[in-house]
Amino acid sequence: MSNATLLAIDQGTTSSRAILFSPGGEILALKQKELALQTPHKGWVEQSPVDIWEDTLWACRGVIESAHDRVANIAAIGITNQRETTIIWDRKTGEPVYNAIVWQDRRTADLCAKLKDAGFEQIITDKTGLLLDPYFSATKIAWILDNVPGVRDRAQNGDLAFGTIDCFLLWKLTGGKTHTTDVTNASRTLLYNTREQKWDEALLELFNIPAALLPEVKDNAATFGTTQANLLGASYTIGGMAGDQHAALIGQACFEPGMVKSTYGTGCFALMNIGTEFKTSQNRLLTTPAYRLNGEITYALEGSIFTAGAAIQWLRDNLGLFEDAAQSEALARSVPDNNQVYFVPAFTGLGAPYWEPEAKAMITGLSRESTGAHITRAALEAQAYQSCDLMQAMHADSDAAHAMNVIRADGGLVANEFMCQFLADMLDRTVEIPAVTETTAWGAAALAGLQSGVFTELDDITQNWTLARRYTPQMQSSERQALFKAWKTAIHSTLQGLI
Ligand code: ADP
């Protein structure tokens, strides 16, 4: 299998991509198409399922065409995807009954608030590891059933199928033969009992969703199906599937309890491997399957920060402080410190561990000497402070035995070495950046590699993980404590602003 290649489909919120990897993680070919968002009303976010499918097919075909000499060796395909985004389609015609309702969509906030007031959140958290929030799929499904004429009857009759993006793409790739998802994607619906690993009847009843809509749930490395031959020129096995953050955890080879991956893109998502036992967070983190292989599940704690790189984009596009995100580094370094300026980038509320959707962004500590450089530095420093908030919550939730000494970071922001060093300093932990920067797509490819025999065990993926850069903490603890205290004051002001 030394010439084997692995094809990853990475269907994200902003783009649909296909990447052909060598077993060592080298990118042999890549195709990508931007994906539009539609916002028909305030708080509504939708995407076209037709575009999602056609763009994905286009990207796969493009990769296969450009790497034609390696294509014969594709051992299997892996799929990774934006999570929670909801599609319902007709099992006979394949026609979606409504647009994809994207994870960012808040139209079901009232329904969630109603269920929360009625006291249902605790039972939902106990079963799913999640919080009662519009972010997850269940209330999106309920909305489609209740608002698109005729859909509830068709669903009850078994004529319709629900799926997150992975499941929809699999159904399309197999020519409508396979209606299957994987455990990580299923776990983001609020309908899947993550402890018992099955669709939960009581939750289906609570959200009033017919079981006939639901897909089968498989391990992350499994024989999901084969592509219809006319689509990609040959039949390929789809052998791997995982939601994007879970795939990144796998791509970062975080297979030991206590290992953490943190992805700094538009937002930031950190997952910590906590081993084989489900554990409910006491600090408003989510409990989620990290992966399930050969029927054995490993769990993770997950924390999300809504705004990470988006704050840098805001400084670039709205304040015009620089033209290119990469210039933020030199600007931040042009001043010796933040001069008491703190930037809480709560543009879309605060995520974990605060979960305060109404919070607004704030820049505190401005004086006559403050410059754009201080604000830029504060925005980069904020990535580390927010990560400290998350890691403290993770640490409090996890066993002392799972001490996390190293954080494996990825995403667009890790190109910024100032940010990486400051992160290591504030976390007081080593920060490692991998050589394979496409960790999400690589995670999906690695799962396909496990299913197809390119890899025989997780250790093979660990062996393949190579370090590009390492940052070790350099800061005195007194300085770290003073900075973090001032950050907490800024957070406090942000939360006070809500009263
Ligand atoms: P996503 O996958 O969420 O679209 P990416 O992982 O591609 O995001 O990261 C893009 C983000 O990283 C953007 O918000 C951009 O502002 C930020 N970014 C990219 N390079 C740098 C840099 N050198 N310094 C600071 N921020 C950067």
Side-chain angles (χ1 to χ4, degrees):
M1 275 281 190
S2 59
N3 289 328
T5 57
L6 297 162
L7 180 62
I9 293 173
D10 180 2
Q11 204 300 309
T13 317
T14 49
S15 70
S16 307
R17 311 192 311 154
I19 303 181
L20 191 71
F21 285 101
S22 73
E26 186 197 349
I27 294 177
L28 305 172
L30 184 155
K31 282 278 175 203
Q32 153 167 359
K33 199 170 217 174
E34 298 301 311
L35 181 64
L37 282 174
Q38 301 161 26
T39 49
H41 300 287
K42 190 169 183 293
W44 292 30
V45 187
E46 299 180 1
Q47 287 181 320
S48 157
V50 176
D51 287 353
I52 288 172
W53 163 236
E54 288 182 353
D55 294 356
T56 301
L57 186 60
W58 174 88
C60 289
R61 284 177 173 162
V63 157
I64 285 173
E65 209 166 286
S66 66
H68 51 90
D69 49 335
R70 312 291 291 264
V71 165
N73 297 322
I74 293 179
I77 297 178
I79 302 177
T80 182
N81 55 294
Q82 51 167 316
R83 302 174 299 173
E84 298 102 10
T85 298
T86 297
I87 304 179
I88 297 179
W89 66 93
D90 187 297
R91 287 181 189 274
K92 278 204 199 78
T93 65
E95 284 287 311
V97 302
Y98 191 75
N99 265 344
I101 302 188
V102 178
W103 56 275
Q104 296 156 331
D105 192 290
R106 309 294 298 175
R107 80 184 66 184
T108 57
D110 286 350
L111 174 58
C112 289
K114 214 170 86 190
L115 292 169
K116 213 183 261 187
D117 288 347
F120 286 113
E121 187 166 52
Q122 193 55 50
I123 175 121
I124 289 174
T125 301
D126 287 346
K127 287 177 177 226
T128 65
L130 308 177
L131 298 168
L132 187 41
D133 192 275
Y135 181 41
F136 305 107
S137 312
T139 56
K140 300 179 196 297
I141 302 173
W143 188 93
I144 296 175
L145 294 178
D146 289 335
N147 289 277
V148 183
V151 162
R152 185 168 284 285
D153 285 346
R154 288 164 69 196
Q156 245 130 16
N157 292 341
D159 296 338
L160 302 180
F162 150 76
T164 40
I165 301 293
D166 52 300
C167 177
F168 177 66
L169 290 177
L170 178 70
W171 196 86
K172 287 286 198 187
L173 285 165
T174 58
K177 284 207 177 66
T178 312
H179 184 215
T180 302
T181 188
D182 76 274
V183 68
T184 65
N185 277 297
S187 77
R188 312 298 292 191
T189 58
L190 283 182
L191 303 172
Y192 192 74
N193 188 319
T194 305
R195 280 177 196 272
E196 296 173 11
Q197 297 170 56
K198 61 178 179 60
W199 296 115
D200 191 285
E201 278 170 30
L203 292 176
L204 286 166
E205 202 171 305
L206 177 68
F207 291 103
N208 195 16
I209 292 170
L213 275 173
L214 300 174
E216 178 192 6
V217 182
K218 287 194 172 174
D219 284 1
N220 295 102
T223 305
F224 285 94
T226 46
T227 60
Q228 220 183 12
N230 64 345
L231 291 174
L232 300 177
S235 281
Y236 300 106
T237 302
I238 297 127
M241 194 186 266
D244 51 9
Q245 302 309 321
H246 315 260
L249 186 87
I250 293 159
Q252 287 274 36
C254 291
F255 301 131
E256 299 296 327
M259 290 184 83
V260 177
K261 80 89 204 176
S262 196
T263 303
Y264 297 87
T266 307
C268 164
F269 294 87
L271 262 73
M272 177 170 79
N273 184 322
I274 57 167
T276 51
E277 259 173 58
F278 183 98
K279 191 165 186 184
T280 309
S281 169
Q282 304 303 315
N283 294 282
R284 309 215 27 97
L285 299 172
L286 308 177
T287 309
T288 198
Y291 44 84
R292 193 175 73 194
L293 297 168
N294 301 319
E296 192 182 335
I297 194 159
T298 298
Y299 291 102
L301 285 174
E302 172 174 329
S304 44
I305 298 167
F306 297 147
T307 303
I312 308 300
Q313 282 170 320
W314 184 78
L315 295 180
R316 185 194 63 191
D317 301 339
N318 297 43
L319 298 195
L321 291 182
F322 38 82
E323 282 178 6
D324 186 319
Q327 292 166 330
S328 63
E329 177 161 356
L331 197 55
R333 287 188 195 276
S334 72
V335 286
D337 55 39
N338 65 16
N339 199 25
Q340 299 302 316
V341 177
Y342 288 83
F343 187 165
V344 182
F347 291 106
T348 49
L350 281 172
Y354 304 103
W355 288 99
E356 187 38 80
E358 300 302 327
K360 298 280 179 291
M362 219 180 210
I363 300 174
T364 65
L366 292 172
S367 63
R368 287 294 294 265
E369 303 91 66
S370 307
T371 63
H374 293 114
I375 295 175
T376 303
R377 189 173 175 118
L380 290 169
E381 287 187 1
Q383 314 299 328
Y385 301 137
Q386 295 189 104
S387 300
C388 285
D389 284 336
L390 273 190
M391 299 304 162
Q392 280 191 351
M394 284 186 171
H395 194 61
D397 270 341
S398 62
D399 297 339
H402 296 171
M404 37 168 159
N405 296 320
V406 176
I407 313 288
R408 290 189 168 170
D410 51 57
L413 255 156
V414 302
N416 193 308
E417 295 214 54
F418 169 82
M419 198 283 290
C420 295
Q421 182 59 51
F422 195 78
L423 187 62
D425 287 341
M426 284 308 301
L427 292 173
D428 199 17
R429 291 189 173 84
T430 301
V431 171
E432 294 182 342
I433 314 294
V436 176
T437 51
E438 296 288 351
T439 50
T440 305
W442 169 241
L447 288 167
L450 277 175
Q451 180 275 338
S452 57
V454 172
F455 302 127
T456 47
E457 52 185 359
L458 286 183
D459 202 40
D460 295 341
I461 302 169
T462 301
Q463 297 305 326
N464 258 326
W465 187 92
T466 344
L467 181 76
R469 288 176 280 138
R470 175 180 280 133
Y471 301 86
T472 51
Q474 309 287 337
M475 192 184 273
Q476 297 288 330
S477 76
S478 54
E479 188 183 349
R480 177 181 309 119
Q481 280 164 16
L483 288 167
F484 195 57
K485 194 166 163 218
W487 162 257
K488 283 293 201 189
T489 307
I491 283 280
H492 187 67
S493 308
T494 307
L495 296 172
Q496 283 273 304
L498 293 169
I499 297 166

